[in-house]
Amino acid sequence: MKQTITELILQAVTPLVEDTSSLNIILERPKSAEHGDFASNIAMQLAKPLKQNPRAIAQTIIDNLPANSVISKVEIAGAGFINFFLSAQSKQDIVKNIFQAGEAFGRNTSGQQAKVQVEFVSANPTGPLHVGHGRGAAVGDCLCRLLDANGWDVTREFYYNDAGAQIDNLTKSVHARALGIAPDDARFPEDGYRGEYIGDIAKAYLAKETVTADDMAVTASGDVNDAESIRKFAVAYLRHEQDLDLQAFQIKFDVFSLESALYTEGKVENAVQALISSGHTYEQDDALWLRTTDFGDDKDRVMRKKEGGYTYFVPDVAYHREKWNRGFKRVINEQGADHHSTITRVRAGLQALNTGIPQDWPEYVLHQMVTVMRGGEEVKLSKRAGSYVTLRDLIEEVGCDATRYFLAARSADSQLVFDIDLARAQTNDNPVYYIQYAHARICSVLNQWAGDSTTLANADLSPLESAAETALMQALSQYPEVVVTACQASAPHMVANYLKELASALHSYYNDTKFLVDDVQIKQARLALITATRTVLRNGLYLLGVSAPDKM
RNA sequence: CUGCUCGUAGCUCAACUGGAUAGAGCACCAGCCUUCUAAGCUGGGGGUUACAGGUUCGAUUCCUGUCGGGCAGACCA
């Protein structure tokens, strides 16, 4: 519909300007119904180059508009807006379109099944997932669903660091607990992890338990002094815990990548050699440096430390080089904003390889920090101090649907306050229930009608002309645009906002109009409309990973 | 000190990437269930979009500065 009107405008404008290729015809949905179904500001854009009054230009465009069946009325408003009012029938067509497409309604093929990899969560195996990871999980997974809906071939990937200083720290902490040293004991490692789960791991280790994670089974030796065995066991144990966290959050990854594998397979060494031979490195103070300032960084970075080990960004570069070699021309990294400084370094490292990787590859979606409130006070998220809110606790308290919705419904680049008491105590006020309730209400009506809803596909829709019906059909017709825009902006929260509006339109309609009336023609038209609404609610909730219950 | 980011109703957040009278939810006030689920609907009060400039037909949105919050700025990850 949008495209149809855009083309009509283009035809009308062509006689006025010499070069139509530079024209950017923007059609928007006016906030107020008084301003029609679509509005264009094209006349105001042309006012300057044509040196004419925008209202006069608007009038000329309207006069030039080709005859058509979709538009019932055109008006000039304000400073020179052109407002388009659709004919009743072209509004009603949306219901038929939805019936035809079903689950596919709103999906498009613009991605052309090109490969895209989304890396998200990527928590290190040093503790269970917390709310911050949850936000990454919710946003990342919705992003994947959006990309899929736009025709991309999506790979979900989880990268974790199973080597390095933090893992040593973890190993020491478990070792201490296995020796019976309490977290508040002076002999406990100073920067050790003090959470109670460390004690659980120590206990399981001493009991020689076996844990499975990433399809690998690890059995504890039970030997308190075998650091390597403790490390392997602790990592597997926590990866298993995180798997359970993700499972509770209903998120599935396609690929898990280990940092240690980059070393054992020689990928890190290869990347280092490639950087050296590309000529962007130098030795200084017994260390090997990468001249990242050549690529926009504010200072050069050390690659190999005096002690001989590599700094953390080297495996990062090796990992991303590997992503590129695996054929992902598009990669999106979803991560917390506290890691934003790595963006410049990783990109600089990839540029330094000189292998034709675009400067702005990979893409990043950063989410701001989550503040957790409980009892009116902020709960500090400190893994080492041991007091923090795990994702699984949260899911158990407020439910998977509500947790996902809360964490995905806000713009990623604004900080979010997660009030546990509010989410738990006032579950009825959770916005997600408002949307789900709209779906359940429709199911309930259709249930009482007890007819075959597929027969509604051919219903005569001409009775649908009330304000509530028009508003609902208008909301439905916006859905495909939301799928496109939310994906382009990498902004899943737009889907959540849209669904709230759609649910609102449905609830208003429900209170305004009785559906199960005696007049068969009217009844069928109304049932067709709410059935179409149910489809869109389902499709939209699916994008958020939230269930669409038949009953509540 | 430097960089990134955010600042919108009492609170939590939107605003279709520069559009028309800045919108929802919670909270507050007044109505709506003998009728398809009241987890709902309708109406009302509540705003100098942090502040000051600039760009243009038009700014919450873009630019500059100030103030305030968050996060980064290790040969830690």
Side-chain angles (χ1 to χ4, degrees):
Chain A
M1 186 55 64
K2 203 170 182 173
Q3 201 182 347
T4 310
I5 297 173
T6 305
E7 278 164 18
L8 289 172
I9 295 174
L10 188 60
Q11 286 184 48
V13 171
T14 302
L16 300 180
V17 292
E18 290 175 8
D19 181 17
T20 54
S21 62
S22 63
L23 276 182
N24 184 18
I25 296 179
I26 298 169
L27 263 193
E28 59 182 26
R29 305 269 190 177
K31 290 171 190 161
S32 161
E34 293 169 31
H35 297 137
D37 298 295
F38 289 97
S40 174
N41 61 356
I42 186 73
M44 288 182 284
Q45 282 185 53
L46 291 173
K48 197 166 226 184
L50 294 182
K51 292 178 182 165
Q52 282 182 50
N53 181 327
R55 289 185 69 103
I57 299 172
Q59 188 58 53
T60 310
I61 293 172
I62 292 173
D63 292 342
N64 287 352
L65 226 44
N68 64 82
S69 62
V70 296
I71 298 168
S72 65
K73 187 171 69 164
V74 187
E75 279 179 358
I76 303 174
F81 288 101
I82 306 177
N83 293 338
F84 297 87
F85 295 79
L86 296 181
S87 67
Q89 198 203 319
S90 51
K91 285 181 200 170
Q92 291 153 359
D93 281 346
I94 192 67
V95 174
K96 286 212 187 312
N97 293 345
I98 294 167
F99 266 95
Q100 267 171 23
E103 283 182 10
F105 180 74
R107 297 178 64 91
N108 65 73
T109 57
S110 59
Q112 300 182 298
Q113 290 306 309
K115 284 172 68 171
V116 59
Q117 184 211 63
V118 182
E119 184 204 324
F120 60 113
V121 184
S122 293
N124 286 341
T126 52
L129 300 183
H130 57 62
V131 193
H133 298 126
R135 187 174 197 185
V139 171
D141 188 58
C142 292
L143 216 49
C144 290
R145 289 164 186 258
L146 271 170
L147 286 161
D148 179 64
N150 281 275
W152 291 82
D153 177 12
V154 184
T155 298
R156 290 166 165 83
E157 188 145 329
F158 186 122
Y159 173 75
Y160 67 93
N161 174 329
D162 58 342
Q166 294 309 321
I167 298 298
D168 289 345
N169 203 356
L170 171 73
T171 307
K172 286 177 194 157
S173 304
V174 174
H175 178 239
R177 290 300 297 261
L179 291 172
I181 300 171
D184 54 359
D185 192 306
R187 291 171 296 162
F188 198 81
E190 194 171 350
D191 294 325
Y193 293 98
R194 295 186 152 76
E196 202 33 58
Y197 63 92
I198 297 293
D200 296 339
I201 298 171
K203 206 179 296 175
Y205 179 78
L206 293 173
K208 300 182 184 178
E209 287 184 12
T210 299
V211 287
T212 306
D214 305 343
D215 297 325
M216 288 183 301
V218 175
T219 302
S221 73
D223 178 354
V224 191
N225 294 314
D226 187 346
E228 182 57 17
S229 177
I230 293 177
R231 185 187 69 77
K232 276 189 176 160
F233 183 75
V235 166
Y237 186 99
L238 287 169
R239 273 292 316 126
H240 179 251
E241 286 297 309
Q242 292 182 352
D243 279 344
L244 296 177
D245 295 338
L246 293 168
Q247 197 181 325
F249 214 32
Q250 295 181 27
I251 289 174
K252 256 184 105 82
F253 282 89
D254 302 302
V255 178
F256 285 87
S257 284
L258 292 71
E259 184 187 20
S260 62
L262 293 170
Y263 283 99
T264 56
E265 292 165 16
K267 301 277 169 58
V268 175
E269 198 53 42
N270 282 346
V272 170
Q273 290 310 317
L275 287 168
I276 291 172
S277 50
S278 75
H280 292 282
T281 60
Y282 60 92
E283 300 252 5
Q284 187 183 309
D285 302 332
D286 298 327
L288 179 66
W289 296 69
L290 182 66
R291 208 184 307 277
T292 52
T293 48
D294 288 351
F295 307 98
D297 204 350
D298 51 4
K299 56 188 272 196
D300 291 339
R301 305 289 168 177
V302 168
M303 293 172 60
R304 195 194 309 116
K305 297 180 270 190
K306 277 181 197 161
E307 308 89 271
Y310 292 113
T311 55
Y312 72 92
F313 96 95
V314 175
D316 271 0
V317 171
Y319 176 44
H320 282 87
R321 181 188 191 217
E322 190 60 16
K323 288 185 182 182
W324 179 262
N325 289 340
R326 281 160 63 194
F328 292 108
K329 293 285 183 288
R330 188 172 183 203
V331 164
I332 302 173
N333 291 337
E334 203 290 348
Q335 53 188 232
D338 54 339
H339 290 92
H340 71 83
S341 59
T342 67
I343 298 176
T344 311
R345 284 172 224 181
V346 168
R347 285 183 178 162
L350 293 168
Q351 289 305 298
L353 288 167
N354 208 10
T355 49
I357 296 175
Q359 279 183 18
D360 56 357
W361 188 95
E363 297 167 43
Y364 282 85
V365 173
L366 301 180
H367 64 261
Q368 294 293 322
M369 299 295 94
V370 180
T371 310
V372 180
M373 302 290 287
R374 172 178 256 147
E377 285 181 12
E378 184 179 341
V379 183
K380 287 288 180 189
L381 300 181
S382 170
K383 243 189 280 187
R384 288 178 206 166
S387 98
Y388 75 149
V389 180
T390 68
L391 180 60
R392 226 187 304 165
D393 289 345
L394 206 57
I395 294 168
E396 276 167 24
E397 284 181 15
V398 311
C400 179
D401 284 343
T403 305
R404 280 189 83 129
Y405 186 89
F406 258 74
L407 293 174
R410 286 153 172 73
S411 165
D413 55 15
S414 83
Q415 297 170 42
L416 102 75
V417 176
F418 201 115
D419 187 331
I420 293 181
D421 301 313
L422 184 79
R424 180 173 57 172
Q426 306 188 340
T427 49
N428 289 357
D429 294 328
N430 281 340
V432 64
Y433 294 123
Y434 181 79
I435 299 166
Q436 290 181 319
Y437 184 43
H439 183 267
R441 270 185 151 175
I442 295 170
C443 291
S444 176
V445 172
L446 293 173
N447 207 28
Q448 289 184 39
W449 170 58
D452 177 1
S453 61
T454 57
T455 62
L456 296 170
N458 301 315
D460 173 14
L461 303 170
S462 58
L464 301 177
E465 289 197 299
S466 74
E469 284 157 349
T470 307
L472 183 52
M473 290 186 289
Q474 218 269 353
L476 291 173
S477 69
Q478 271 178 264
Y479 180 67
E481 295 162 28
V482 170
V483 174
V484 171
T485 321
C487 188
Q488 281 171 351
S490 293
H493 76 279
M494 297 175 86
V495 176
N497 288 331
Y498 166 78
L499 287 175
K500 238 166 29 177
E501 280 170 32
L502 179 61
S504 169
L506 185 277
H507 286 308
S508 294
Y509 184 36
Y510 184 94
N511 278 276
D512 175 79
T513 310
K514 187 157 167 79
F515 309 141
L516 298 174
V517 292
D518 293 337
D519 185 312
V520 174
Q521 192 195 1
I522 292 175
K523 179 170 70 181
Q524 294 221 326
R526 289 175 181 172
L527 291 175
L529 175 55
I530 63 168
T531 304
T533 305
R534 182 176 68 167
T535 300
V536 176
L537 284 169
R538 267 184 197 166
N539 293 359
L541 283 169
Y542 174 78
L543 289 180
L544 295 176
V546 173
S547 68
D550 292 353
K551 262 184 229 170
M552 287 178 71

